[in-house]
Amino acid sequence: MSFNYENLDTITRQFMLEELALDISSNNVYLSPRLNDNGKVRYVEVLKKAFTDGDEIKLKNEINYGLLNAYEQRKKPNGGYTQAKVPITAAETLADGEFNRYYIRALCRRVIQENNKSIQVYRAKEVDRPRFESEMKIGLVIDPRATLKSLRETNNFDTILQIPSGPNSGLSVRIIETSKDVSA
């Protein structure tokens, strides 16, 4: 199932590309340890393509086309490491998280520039078992400046919203009109 990005248009896509360029210039593009050598080389190009005319599904498909390692090292509970297969959902998790993170950064930039607008959390992707903590965030209006700053410093929107248990919440943000009190 894919995300329903309510404000994914040419303006938002341009801001996504600008945010990616900012990360490239500061050497701050998140490179998953699950990416293989080819993936590390091609990942930025694949992101640009998805941001220009694709979505998280197109990004996932590109990542699945030879950009991931087959195995990864994992810590054993009693110490040491073991080799484990990279989960079959790895490309989807990476694509969903990164596309959504840049999308949210773009919307933050957009509403900062536009008057009488803000961003609101909503369920953009249906999930099998929505967490209670995620459900409680739906409808929350969040500060675009603080969110943008945080997302430039971390690669996890769920952490910023203080949603436990990691990725895959299905949450994103949308632009809403903010009414101004004009009473005298």
Side-chain angles (χ1 to χ4, degrees):
M1 184 163 299
S2 63
F3 277 75
N4 173 27
Y5 290 111
E6 292 185 8
N7 304 114
L8 185 59
D9 57 18
T10 56
I11 297 167
T12 300
R13 288 181 184 282
Q14 183 57 43
F15 280 122
M16 291 172 75
L17 290 166
E18 288 174 15
E19 286 297 303
L20 178 59
L22 179 67
D23 282 354
I24 292 167
S25 71
S26 63
N27 199 27
N28 199 32
V29 175
Y30 173 70
L31 293 176
S32 170
R34 291 177 168 165
L35 291 170
N36 59 28
D37 290 340
N38 182 43
K40 289 174 184 166
V41 169
R42 294 198 48 237
Y43 187 64
V44 168
E45 166 197 328
V46 167
L47 281 176
K48 284 181 186 176
K49 186 175 177 182
F51 295 172
T52 300
D53 63 3
D55 56 20
E56 80 285 358
I57 301 296
K58 188 178 237 183
L59 180 57
K60 175 191 80 168
N61 292 338
E62 288 289 327
I63 293 169
N64 263 333
Y65 192 66
L67 302 189
L68 292 176
N69 290 312
Y71 293 90
E72 65 185 352
Q73 270 195 345
R74 289 198 191 143
K75 287 185 180 181
K76 291 181 177 179
N78 296 327
Y81 292 89
T82 186
Q83 286 286 100
K85 279 191 170 187
V86 169
I88 61 171
T89 58
E92 180 178 7
T93 300
L94 179 59
D96 284 359
E98 287 301 282
F99 195 92
N100 194 30
R101 185 169 66 95
Y102 280 100
Y103 172 79
I104 295 167
R105 285 172 62 172
L107 288 191
C108 288
R109 292 258 321 270
R110 190 170 172 176
V111 300
I112 289 168
Q113 288 187 357
E114 297 176 6
N115 262 343
N116 300 328
K117 293 188 179 169
S118 192
I119 53 176
Q120 179 184 53
V121 178
Y122 76 108
R123 179 154 315 280
K125 179 180 181 180
E126 293 303 316
V127 294
D128 289 335
R129 285 176 253 132
R131 296 184 295 266
F132 175 76
E133 295 87 352
S134 296
E135 291 294 303
M136 297 306 296
K137 301 295 181 179
I138 295 173
L140 182 67
V141 177
I142 57 177
D143 178 2
R145 284 180 174 78
T147 302
L148 179 60
K149 181 180 184 304
S150 294
L151 283 173
R152 285 177 172 169
E153 295 169 354
T154 184
N155 64 0
N156 191 338
F157 175 63
D158 291 346
T159 300
I160 292 164
L161 285 180
Q162 300 175 342
I163 298 171
S165 304
N168 303 319
S169 71
L171 300 182
S172 192
V173 298
R174 61 180 160 212
I175 297 173
I176 60 168
E177 297 292 324
T178 306
S179 60
K180 297 285 184 180
D181 185 15
V182 291
S183 60

